[in-house]
Amino acid sequence: MNTSSNGYVLGFAVTVCVTISAMLAATATSLAPEQAAAAELDRQKNVMMAAGLLKAGEVKSKEELVKLYNDRIKEVVVDTVDGKALDGKAAGDADKLNQDGAAAAKDPADKKKAETRYRVVAQAKGDDGSSTYVLPISGKGLWSTIYGYLALGGDAATVKGVTFYKHGETPGLGGECENPEWCAKWVGKSILDESKQLVGVIVKKGSIDPAIPEDKRHKVDGLSGATITCNGITKFVKNDLTAFDKYLASVRK
Amino acid sequence: MTATATPPVKKGGLFGPDEIKVIKDPLWDNNPIAFQILGICSSLAVTTRLDKALVMGIGVTLVTALANLIISTIRNFIPNKIRIIVQLVVVSGVVIVFDQFLKAYMFDLSKQLSVFVGLIITNCIVMGRLEAYAMSNPPWRSFLDGIGNGLGYLWILAVVGTVREILGSGKLLGAQVIPQSLYEAGYVNNGLMVLAPGAFILLGIIVWVQRSISGYSEK
Protein backbone atom coordinates (compact mmCIF):
# COMPACT_ATOMS: atom_id res chain seq x y z
CA MET A 1 0.00 0.00 0.00
CA ASN A 2 1.32 3.43 -0.92
CA THR A 3 1.14 5.26 2.37
CA SER A 4 2.52 8.49 0.99
CA SER A 5 -0.11 9.22 -1.68
CA ASN A 6 -2.16 12.32 -1.05
CA GLY A 7 -5.42 10.41 -0.98
CA TYR A 8 -4.14 8.00 1.64
CA VAL A 9 -2.71 10.78 3.83
CA LEU A 10 -5.99 12.68 3.69
CA GLY A 11 -8.08 9.61 4.41
CA PHE A 12 -5.84 8.64 7.30
CA ALA A 13 -6.00 12.11 8.83
CA VAL A 14 -9.79 12.17 8.64
CA THR A 15 -10.09 8.68 10.14
CA VAL A 16 -7.82 9.54 13.05
CA CYS A 17 -9.69 12.78 13.77
CA VAL A 18 -13.13 11.18 13.62
CA THR A 19 -12.10 8.24 15.82
CA ILE A 20 -10.51 10.45 18.47
CA SER A 21 -13.45 12.86 18.46
CA ALA A 22 -15.91 10.02 18.92
CA MET A 23 -13.85 8.68 21.80
CA LEU A 24 -13.69 12.09 23.51
CA ALA A 25 -17.39 12.73 23.02
CA ALA A 26 -18.24 9.35 24.54
CA THR A 27 -16.00 9.95 27.57
CA ALA A 28 -17.26 13.47 28.18
CA THR A 29 -20.90 12.44 27.95
CA SER A 30 -20.60 9.39 30.15
CA LEU A 31 -18.64 11.25 32.85
CA ALA A 32 -20.83 14.36 32.83
CA PRO A 33 -23.03 13.35 35.82
CA GLU A 34 -20.00 12.55 38.00
CA GLN A 35 -18.32 15.80 37.00
CA ALA A 36 -21.43 17.81 37.79
CA ALA A 37 -21.68 16.12 41.19
CA ALA A 38 -18.01 16.84 41.90
CA ALA A 39 -18.44 20.49 40.89
CA GLU A 40 -21.52 20.81 43.10
CA LEU A 41 -19.65 19.36 46.08
CA ASP A 42 -16.84 21.81 45.41
CA ARG A 43 -19.35 24.67 45.35
CA GLN A 44 -20.81 23.56 48.68
CA LYS A 45 -17.32 23.30 50.13
CA ASN A 46 -16.66 26.87 49.07
CA VAL A 47 -19.86 28.08 50.72
CA MET A 48 -18.67 26.46 53.95
CA MET A 49 -15.16 27.81 53.52
CA ALA A 50 -16.47 31.34 53.07
CA ALA A 51 -18.68 30.91 56.13
CA GLY A 52 -15.69 29.70 58.13
CA LEU A 53 -17.15 26.23 58.77
CA LEU A 54 -14.31 24.63 56.85
CA LYS A 55 -10.67 25.62 56.74
CA ALA A 56 -8.84 25.78 53.42
CA GLY A 57 -6.87 22.59 52.92
CA GLU A 58 -8.83 20.73 55.59
CA VAL A 59 -9.37 17.14 54.55
CA LYS A 60 -12.83 15.72 55.16
CA SER A 61 -14.62 12.78 53.60
CA LYS A 62 -17.42 13.41 51.17
CA GLU A 63 -20.03 12.13 53.65
CA GLU A 64 -18.78 14.48 56.39
CA LEU A 65 -18.92 17.42 53.99
CA VAL A 66 -22.44 16.64 52.85
CA LYS A 67 -23.58 16.19 56.46
CA LEU A 68 -21.94 19.42 57.58
CA TYR A 69 -23.57 21.24 54.70
CA ASN A 70 -27.01 19.85 55.40
CA ASP A 71 -26.74 20.52 59.14
CA ARG A 72 -25.40 24.04 59.06
CA ILE A 73 -26.37 25.64 55.77
CA LYS A 74 -29.82 26.73 54.73
CA GLU A 75 -30.23 28.05 51.21
CA VAL A 76 -32.92 30.60 50.58
CA VAL A 77 -34.04 32.22 47.35
CA VAL A 78 -33.98 35.99 47.64
CA ASP A 79 -35.91 38.36 45.40
CA THR A 80 -33.38 41.16 44.89
CA VAL A 81 -36.07 43.62 43.83
CA ASP A 82 -37.81 43.84 47.19
CA GLY A 83 -35.11 42.11 49.22
CA LYS A 84 -37.43 39.46 50.62
CA ALA A 85 -36.65 35.79 51.00
CA LEU A 86 -39.18 33.61 49.25
CA ASP A 87 -40.85 30.98 51.38
CA GLY A 88 -41.24 27.47 50.17
CA LYS A 89 -38.77 27.78 47.33
CA ALA A 90 -35.72 25.53 47.14
CA ALA A 91 -32.36 26.74 45.84
CA GLY A 92 -32.88 24.85 42.60
CA ASP A 93 -35.99 26.92 41.83
CA ALA A 94 -34.07 30.17 41.36
CA ASP A 95 -32.99 29.38 37.80
CA LYS A 96 -36.54 28.54 36.80
CA LEU A 97 -37.90 31.75 38.34
CA ASN A 98 -35.28 33.79 36.52
CA GLN A 99 -35.99 32.10 33.21
CA ASP A 100 -39.72 32.68 33.58
CA GLY A 101 -39.09 36.29 34.52
CA ALA A 102 -36.80 36.83 31.56
CA ALA A 103 -39.29 35.21 29.22
CA ALA A 104 -42.07 37.47 30.49
CA ALA A 105 -40.00 40.65 30.15
CA LYS A 106 -40.41 42.53 26.87
CA ASP A 107 -37.76 45.21 27.02
CA PRO A 108 -34.21 43.77 26.51
CA ALA A 109 -32.95 45.82 29.46
CA ASP A 110 -35.65 44.37 31.71
CA LYS A 111 -34.83 40.94 30.43
CA LYS A 112 -31.23 41.28 31.54
CA LYS A 113 -32.30 42.40 34.99
CA ALA A 114 -34.87 39.63 35.28
CA GLU A 115 -32.22 37.03 34.55
CA THR A 116 -30.49 37.78 37.84
CA ARG A 117 -33.49 38.85 39.91
CA TYR A 118 -33.70 35.75 42.09
CA ARG A 119 -30.50 34.73 43.79
CA VAL A 120 -29.65 32.06 46.30
CA VAL A 121 -28.23 33.12 49.64
CA ALA A 122 -26.83 30.52 51.99
CA GLN A 123 -27.40 31.12 55.67
CA ALA A 124 -24.90 29.39 57.91
CA LYS A 125 -25.24 28.69 61.60
CA GLY A 126 -22.05 28.97 63.60
CA ASP A 127 -21.11 26.80 66.61
CA ASP A 128 -22.36 29.55 68.94
CA GLY A 129 -25.62 30.05 67.07
CA SER A 130 -24.41 33.13 65.23
CA SER A 131 -25.61 33.72 61.68
CA THR A 132 -23.52 34.14 58.57
CA TYR A 133 -24.88 35.22 55.22
CA VAL A 134 -23.06 33.75 52.26
CA LEU A 135 -23.72 35.68 49.06
CA PRO A 136 -22.86 34.37 45.61
CA ILE A 137 -20.63 36.81 43.73
CA SER A 138 -19.56 36.59 40.12
CA GLY A 139 -18.33 38.79 37.32
CA LYS A 140 -15.69 39.40 34.71
CA GLY A 141 -12.02 39.20 35.54
CA LEU A 142 -9.49 39.47 32.74
CA TRP A 143 -10.17 36.32 30.71
CA SER A 144 -13.17 34.78 32.32
CA THR A 145 -16.14 35.02 34.62
CA ILE A 146 -15.00 34.54 38.19
CA TYR A 147 -17.36 32.82 40.62
CA GLY A 148 -17.09 33.09 44.35
CA TYR A 149 -18.79 33.48 47.71
CA LEU A 150 -18.67 36.40 50.08
CA ALA A 151 -19.70 35.67 53.67
CA LEU A 152 -20.94 38.45 55.92
CA GLY A 153 -21.17 38.11 59.69
CA GLY A 154 -24.32 38.51 61.79
CA ASP A 155 -24.28 42.31 61.35
CA ALA A 156 -24.51 41.77 57.56
CA ALA A 157 -21.71 44.30 57.12
CA THR A 158 -18.44 42.70 58.17
CA VAL A 159 -16.73 40.26 55.85
CA LYS A 160 -16.34 36.87 57.46
CA GLY A 161 -14.71 35.15 54.55
CA VAL A 162 -14.43 35.00 50.80
CA THR A 163 -13.64 32.31 48.26
CA PHE A 164 -13.23 32.27 44.51
CA TYR A 165 -13.77 28.79 43.24
CA LYS A 166 -14.25 28.90 39.50
CA HIS A 167 -12.34 31.08 37.09
CA GLY A 168 -10.13 30.99 34.03
CA GLU A 169 -7.57 33.58 35.10
CA THR A 170 -3.85 33.10 34.45
CA PRO A 171 -2.40 30.67 37.01
CA GLY A 172 0.10 32.45 39.24
CA LEU A 173 -1.23 35.93 38.42
CA GLY A 174 -5.01 36.51 38.38
CA GLY A 175 -5.46 32.87 39.34
CA GLU A 176 -4.00 33.75 42.74
CA CYS A 177 -7.45 35.10 43.66
CA GLU A 178 -8.23 31.58 44.87
CA ASN A 179 -5.19 31.58 47.17
CA PRO A 180 -6.52 31.12 50.73
CA GLU A 181 -3.82 33.43 52.09
CA TRP A 182 -5.04 36.26 49.92
CA CYS A 183 -8.68 35.53 50.69
CA ALA A 184 -7.83 35.66 54.41
CA LYS A 185 -6.99 39.34 53.97
CA TRP A 186 -10.64 40.08 53.30
CA VAL A 187 -11.74 38.97 56.75
CA GLY A 188 -12.83 41.83 59.00
CA LYS A 189 -13.31 44.37 56.21
CA SER A 190 -16.53 46.34 56.29
CA ILE A 191 -18.74 46.75 53.25
CA LEU A 192 -20.34 49.87 54.78
CA ASP A 193 -18.66 53.16 55.60
CA GLU A 194 -19.29 55.09 58.83
CA SER A 195 -22.50 56.63 57.49
CA LYS A 196 -23.81 53.15 56.57
CA GLN A 197 -23.35 53.74 52.85
CA LEU A 198 -22.38 50.74 50.72
CA VAL A 199 -18.73 50.82 49.68
CA GLY A 200 -18.01 47.16 49.08
CA VAL A 201 -14.53 45.72 49.37
CA ILE A 202 -11.90 47.40 47.23
CA VAL A 203 -8.90 45.53 45.90
CA LYS A 204 -6.19 48.15 45.90
CA LYS A 205 -3.33 48.33 43.42
CA GLY A 206 -0.29 47.60 45.56
CA SER A 207 -0.42 47.14 49.31
CA ILE A 208 -2.73 48.83 51.73
CA ASP A 209 -1.46 51.23 54.35
CA PRO A 210 -3.06 50.32 57.70
CA ALA A 211 -2.43 53.90 58.87
CA ILE A 212 -5.09 55.17 56.47
CA PRO A 213 -8.50 54.46 58.05
CA GLU A 214 -10.18 53.94 54.68
CA ASP A 215 -7.58 51.38 53.60
CA LYS A 216 -7.93 49.54 56.85
CA ARG A 217 -11.71 49.48 56.74
CA HIS A 218 -12.48 48.66 53.10
CA LYS A 219 -9.39 47.73 51.12
CA VAL A 220 -7.29 44.63 50.57
CA ASP A 221 -3.84 44.24 48.98
CA GLY A 222 -3.88 43.84 45.22
CA LEU A 223 -2.52 40.78 43.44
CA SER A 224 0.65 41.79 41.67
CA GLY A 225 0.53 41.38 37.92
CA ALA A 226 -3.25 41.04 37.94
CA THR A 227 -4.62 44.58 37.94
CA ILE A 228 -7.52 43.84 35.60
CA THR A 229 -8.57 40.78 37.57
CA CYS A 230 -8.45 42.86 40.79
CA ASN A 231 -10.44 45.73 39.28
CA GLY A 232 -12.97 43.22 38.01
CA ILE A 233 -13.34 41.73 41.48
CA THR A 234 -13.80 45.17 43.06
CA LYS A 235 -16.46 45.99 40.50
CA PHE A 236 -18.53 42.84 40.67
CA VAL A 237 -18.37 42.61 44.45
CA LYS A 238 -19.86 46.10 44.60
CA ASN A 239 -22.48 45.24 41.95
CA ASP A 240 -23.58 42.07 43.67
CA LEU A 241 -23.68 43.77 47.06
CA THR A 242 -25.82 46.50 45.54
CA ALA A 243 -28.19 43.84 44.27
CA PHE A 244 -28.41 42.31 47.75
CA ASP A 245 -28.63 45.72 49.45
CA LYS A 246 -32.35 45.52 50.26
CA TYR A 247 -32.07 41.98 51.52
CA LEU A 248 -29.08 42.83 53.70
CA ALA A 249 -30.85 45.93 55.03
CA SER A 250 -33.80 43.75 56.04
CA VAL A 251 -31.46 41.36 57.85
CA ARG A 252 -29.68 44.13 59.70
CA LYS A 253 -32.86 45.21 61.49
CA MET B 1 10.78 5.63 9.13
CA THR B 2 7.33 4.24 9.58
CA ALA B 3 7.72 0.56 9.07
CA THR B 4 10.76 -1.12 10.49
CA ALA B 5 11.20 -4.85 10.30
CA THR B 6 9.56 -6.51 13.26
CA PRO B 7 12.16 -8.38 15.29
CA PRO B 8 11.78 -12.14 15.20
CA VAL B 9 9.42 -13.61 17.75
CA LYS B 10 11.48 -14.41 20.83
CA LYS B 11 10.95 -16.85 23.59
CA GLY B 12 10.33 -15.76 27.14
CA GLY B 13 6.65 -14.82 27.00
CA LEU B 14 5.23 -11.46 28.01
CA PHE B 15 7.95 -10.68 30.53
CA GLY B 16 11.09 -12.06 28.96
CA PRO B 17 14.51 -10.50 29.60
CA ASP B 18 13.98 -7.95 26.81
CA GLU B 19 10.72 -6.74 28.30
CA ILE B 20 12.23 -6.44 31.77
CA LYS B 21 15.11 -4.46 30.29
CA VAL B 22 12.65 -2.12 28.54
CA ILE B 23 11.07 -1.31 31.89
CA LYS B 24 14.25 -1.19 33.97
CA ASP B 25 16.40 0.84 31.63
CA PRO B 26 14.53 4.15 31.91
CA LEU B 27 14.38 3.83 35.68
CA TRP B 28 18.09 4.34 36.07
CA ASP B 29 20.53 3.98 33.14
CA ASN B 30 18.42 5.78 30.59
CA ASN B 31 16.26 7.89 32.88
CA PRO B 32 14.22 10.46 30.93
CA ILE B 33 14.93 13.28 33.39
CA ALA B 34 18.35 12.48 34.80
CA PHE B 35 19.89 11.06 31.65
CA GLN B 36 17.95 12.47 28.71
CA ILE B 37 17.07 15.75 30.49
CA LEU B 38 13.52 15.68 29.15
CA GLY B 39 10.38 16.89 30.88
CA ILE B 40 12.24 19.43 33.00
CA CYS B 41 9.60 22.13 32.67
CA SER B 42 6.79 20.08 34.16
CA SER B 43 9.05 18.66 36.84
CA LEU B 44 9.72 22.20 38.05
CA ALA B 45 6.06 23.15 37.99
CA VAL B 46 4.32 20.30 39.79
CA THR B 47 6.77 19.35 42.50
CA THR B 48 5.87 21.89 45.18
CA ARG B 49 3.83 19.16 46.82
CA LEU B 50 4.24 15.40 46.78
CA ASP B 51 0.60 14.59 45.95
CA LYS B 52 0.69 16.82 42.87
CA ALA B 53 3.97 15.26 41.78
CA LEU B 54 2.57 11.75 42.19
CA VAL B 55 -0.60 12.45 40.23
CA MET B 56 1.39 14.13 37.48
CA GLY B 57 3.80 11.18 37.40
CA ILE B 58 0.95 8.68 37.21
CA GLY B 59 -0.70 10.79 34.52
CA VAL B 60 2.44 10.91 32.39
CA THR B 61 2.98 7.16 32.91
CA LEU B 62 -0.54 6.30 31.75
CA VAL B 63 -0.44 8.72 28.85
CA THR B 64 2.97 7.59 27.63
CA ALA B 65 2.02 3.92 27.92
CA LEU B 66 -1.35 4.29 26.19
CA ALA B 67 -0.09 6.61 23.47
CA ASN B 68 2.86 4.25 22.86
CA LEU B 69 0.46 1.32 22.61
CA ILE B 70 -1.87 3.07 20.18
CA ILE B 71 0.84 4.54 17.98
CA SER B 72 2.76 1.28 17.91
CA THR B 73 -0.38 -0.62 16.89
CA ILE B 74 -1.02 1.65 13.93
CA ARG B 75 2.64 2.45 13.20
CA ASN B 76 2.67 0.66 9.87
CA PHE B 77 -0.32 2.65 8.62
CA ILE B 78 0.79 6.13 9.68
CA PRO B 79 1.93 8.12 6.65
CA ASN B 80 5.43 9.39 7.30
CA LYS B 81 4.55 12.92 6.24
CA ILE B 82 2.01 13.47 8.97
CA ARG B 83 3.36 11.18 11.67
CA ILE B 84 4.14 13.95 14.18
CA ILE B 85 0.69 15.46 14.02
CA VAL B 86 -0.93 12.03 14.26
CA GLN B 87 1.15 11.36 17.39
CA LEU B 88 0.07 14.71 18.78
CA VAL B 89 -3.62 14.00 18.13
CA VAL B 90 -3.40 10.63 19.86
CA VAL B 91 -1.51 12.11 22.83
CA SER B 92 -4.01 14.96 23.15
CA GLY B 93 -6.92 12.55 23.02
CA VAL B 94 -5.48 10.39 25.79
CA VAL B 95 -4.64 13.44 27.92
CA ILE B 96 -8.13 14.90 27.61
CA VAL B 97 -9.64 11.57 28.65
CA PHE B 98 -7.32 11.53 31.68
CA ASP B 99 -8.35 15.11 32.50
CA GLN B 100 -12.03 14.20 32.25
CA PHE B 101 -11.54 11.35 34.71
CA LEU B 102 -9.69 13.64 37.11
CA LYS B 103 -12.53 16.16 36.96
CA ALA B 104 -15.06 13.45 37.72
CA TYR B 105 -13.29 11.59 40.49
CA MET B 106 -10.51 13.84 41.88
CA PHE B 107 -11.96 17.30 41.50
CA ASP B 108 -9.71 19.05 44.05
CA LEU B 109 -6.54 17.74 42.49
CA SER B 110 -7.76 18.57 39.01
CA LYS B 111 -8.29 22.16 40.17
CA GLN B 112 -4.81 22.38 41.65
CA LEU B 113 -3.15 20.80 38.65
CA SER B 114 -5.28 23.03 36.38
CA VAL B 115 -3.22 23.76 33.30
CA PHE B 116 -0.51 21.24 34.03
CA VAL B 117 -2.67 18.29 32.99
CA GLY B 118 -3.11 19.87 29.58
CA LEU B 119 0.62 20.42 29.49
CA ILE B 120 1.24 16.65 29.59
CA ILE B 121 0.59 16.93 25.85
CA THR B 122 3.69 19.05 25.46
CA ASN B 123 5.82 16.88 27.76
CA CYS B 124 8.83 15.94 25.65
CA ILE B 125 8.98 12.50 27.23
CA VAL B 126 5.69 11.47 25.64
CA MET B 127 6.54 12.62 22.14
CA GLY B 128 10.13 11.49 22.56
CA ARG B 129 9.12 7.92 23.32
CA LEU B 130 6.62 7.85 20.46
CA GLU B 131 9.22 8.95 17.94
CA ALA B 132 12.14 7.01 19.35
CA TYR B 133 10.44 3.80 20.35
CA ALA B 134 6.80 3.23 19.49
CA MET B 135 7.24 4.04 15.80
CA SER B 136 9.61 1.13 15.37
CA ASN B 137 8.66 -1.47 17.99
CA PRO B 138 5.74 -3.82 18.56
CA PRO B 139 2.79 -2.73 20.78
CA TRP B 140 3.42 -4.73 23.93
CA ARG B 141 7.04 -3.66 24.30
CA SER B 142 6.11 -0.07 23.43
CA PHE B 143 3.51 -0.16 26.18
CA LEU B 144 6.13 -1.40 28.65
CA ASP B 145 8.56 1.24 27.43
CA GLY B 146 5.92 3.87 28.18
CA ILE B 147 5.37 2.46 31.67
CA GLY B 148 9.12 2.34 32.28
CA ASN B 149 9.74 5.90 31.17
CA GLY B 150 6.71 7.14 33.08
CA LEU B 151 7.97 5.47 36.25
CA GLY B 152 11.44 6.86 35.65
CA TYR B 153 9.86 10.31 35.52
CA LEU B 154 7.61 9.56 38.49
CA TRP B 155 10.31 8.56 40.95
CA ILE B 156 12.41 11.64 40.26
CA LEU B 157 9.32 13.83 40.63
CA ALA B 158 8.49 12.06 43.88
CA VAL B 159 11.98 12.66 45.29
CA VAL B 160 11.96 16.33 44.31
CA GLY B 161 8.37 16.73 45.54
CA THR B 162 9.16 15.14 48.90
CA VAL B 163 12.18 17.36 49.53
CA ARG B 164 10.43 20.51 48.34
CA GLU B 165 7.31 19.91 50.39
CA ILE B 166 9.22 19.14 53.59
CA LEU B 167 11.71 21.99 53.29
CA GLY B 168 9.35 24.45 51.63
CA SER B 169 6.23 24.11 53.73
CA GLY B 170 7.17 21.69 56.52
CA LYS B 171 4.57 19.19 55.37
CA LEU B 172 4.36 15.87 53.59
CA LEU B 173 1.22 14.92 51.66
CA GLY B 174 -0.49 17.82 53.43
CA ALA B 175 0.31 16.61 56.96
CA GLN B 176 2.65 18.62 59.18
CA VAL B 177 5.96 16.78 59.63
CA ILE B 178 8.15 19.48 61.07
CA PRO B 179 7.08 19.86 64.70
CA GLN B 180 5.71 23.17 65.94
CA SER B 181 8.39 23.27 68.65
CA LEU B 182 11.05 23.64 65.97
CA TYR B 183 9.26 26.69 64.54
CA GLU B 184 9.06 28.17 68.02
CA ALA B 185 12.80 27.64 68.34
CA GLY B 186 13.27 29.87 65.29
CA TYR B 187 13.14 27.47 62.35
CA VAL B 188 11.69 28.94 59.15
CA ASN B 189 10.46 27.20 56.02
CA ASN B 190 12.79 27.58 53.07
CA GLY B 191 11.02 29.90 50.66
CA LEU B 192 13.38 28.99 47.81
CA MET B 193 12.00 25.45 47.79
CA VAL B 194 8.51 26.68 46.97
CA LEU B 195 9.80 28.44 43.87
CA ALA B 196 11.02 26.92 40.61
CA PRO B 197 14.75 27.61 41.26
CA GLY B 198 14.56 25.30 44.29
CA ALA B 199 13.47 22.48 42.01
CA PHE B 200 16.23 23.33 39.56
CA ILE B 201 18.86 22.99 42.26
CA LEU B 202 17.41 19.67 43.43
CA LEU B 203 17.21 18.33 39.88
CA GLY B 204 20.81 19.36 39.34
CA ILE B 205 21.86 17.45 42.42
CA ILE B 206 19.88 14.37 41.34
CA VAL B 207 21.45 14.43 37.86
CA TRP B 208 24.89 14.78 39.44
CA VAL B 209 24.38 11.93 41.88
CA GLN B 210 22.79 9.71 39.23
CA ARG B 211 25.59 10.29 36.75
CA SER B 212 28.39 9.89 39.21
CA ILE B 213 26.95 6.50 40.20
CA SER B 214 26.17 5.33 36.66
CA GLY B 215 29.48 6.70 35.42
CA TYR B 216 28.04 8.59 32.45
CA SER B 217 29.55 11.83 31.25
CA GLU B 218 28.77 14.10 28.31
CA LYS B 219 31.23 13.68 25.49
Side-chain angles (χ1 to χ4, degrees), chain A residues 97-112:
Chain A
L97 284 169
N98 284 330
Q99 276 165 17
D100 292 350
K106 289 182 186 77
D107 193 2
D110 287 349
K111 203 168 221 137
K112 194 123 207 211

Side-chain angles (χ1 to χ4, degrees), chain B residues 62-79:
Chain B
L62 290 177
V63 170
T64 318
L66 282 176
N68 262 4
L69 180 67
I70 296 170
I71 288 293
S72 170
T73 312
I74 58 171
R75 71 186 187 283
N76 293 330
F77 304 102
I78 301 176

Side-chain angles (χ1 to χ4, degrees), chain A residues 165-207:
Chain A
Y165 65 98
K166 197 168 122 190
H167 65 80
E169 301 302 296
T170 319
L173 298 173
E176 285 296 294
C177 65
E178 63 176 40
N179 188 333
E181 280 169 30
W182 184 69
C183 292
K185 294 183 179 172
W186 288 55
V187 177
K189 302 289 166 185
S190 176
I191 60 163
L192 301 176
D193 65 8
E194 267 112 12
S195 54
K196 303 280 175 211
Q197 289 302 304
L198 179 68
V199 187
V201 177
I202 296 152
V203 184
K204 195 182 174 179
K205 198 177 158 106
S207 308

Side-chain angles (χ1 to χ4, degrees), chain A residues 2-16, chain B residues 77-83 85-86:
Chain A
N2 177 13
T3 58
S4 54
S5 78
N6 287 342
Y8 181 83
V9 169
L10 205 63
F12 189 87
V14 170
T15 315
V16 166
Chain B
F77 304 102
I78 301 176
N80 203 26
K81 282 188 221 161
I82 57 165
R83 67 180 198 285
I85 197 74
V86 169

Side-chain angles (χ1 to χ4, degrees), chain A residues 59-76:
Chain A
V59 184
K60 276 204 157 92
S61 77
K62 198 177 158 190
E63 288 72 30
E64 281 176 310
L65 288 170
V66 172
K67 187 174 178 299
L68 188 65
Y69 192 80
N70 291 339
D71 285 355
R72 295 294 191 81
I73 308 273
K74 196 178 121 214
E75 290 192 322
V76 288

Side-chain angles (χ1 to χ4, degrees), chain A residues 1 3-6 8-9 12-13 16 20 23-24 27-28 31 34-35 38-39 42 45-46 165-166 171 178, chain B residues 2 74 76-82 86 89-90 93-94 96-97 99-101 103-105 107-108 111 114-115:
Chain A
M1 190 165 26
T3 58
S4 54
S5 78
N6 287 342
Y8 181 83
V9 169
F12 189 87
V16 166
I20 301 269
M23 184 184 84
L24 291 184
T27 320
L31 288 176
E34 273 87 6
Q35 290 177 354
D42 185 60
K45 256 170 85 177
N46 274 277
Y165 65 98
K166 197 168 122 190
E178 63 176 40
Chain B
T2 49
I74 58 171
N76 293 330
F77 304 102
I78 301 176
N80 203 26
K81 282 188 221 161
I82 57 165
V86 169
V89 169
V90 169
V94 175
I96 296 172
V97 168
D99 189 36
Q100 292 288 320
F101 272 95
K103 276 201 185 116
Y105 299 108
F107 195 84
D108 287 346
K111 260 174 89 169
S114 63
V115 291

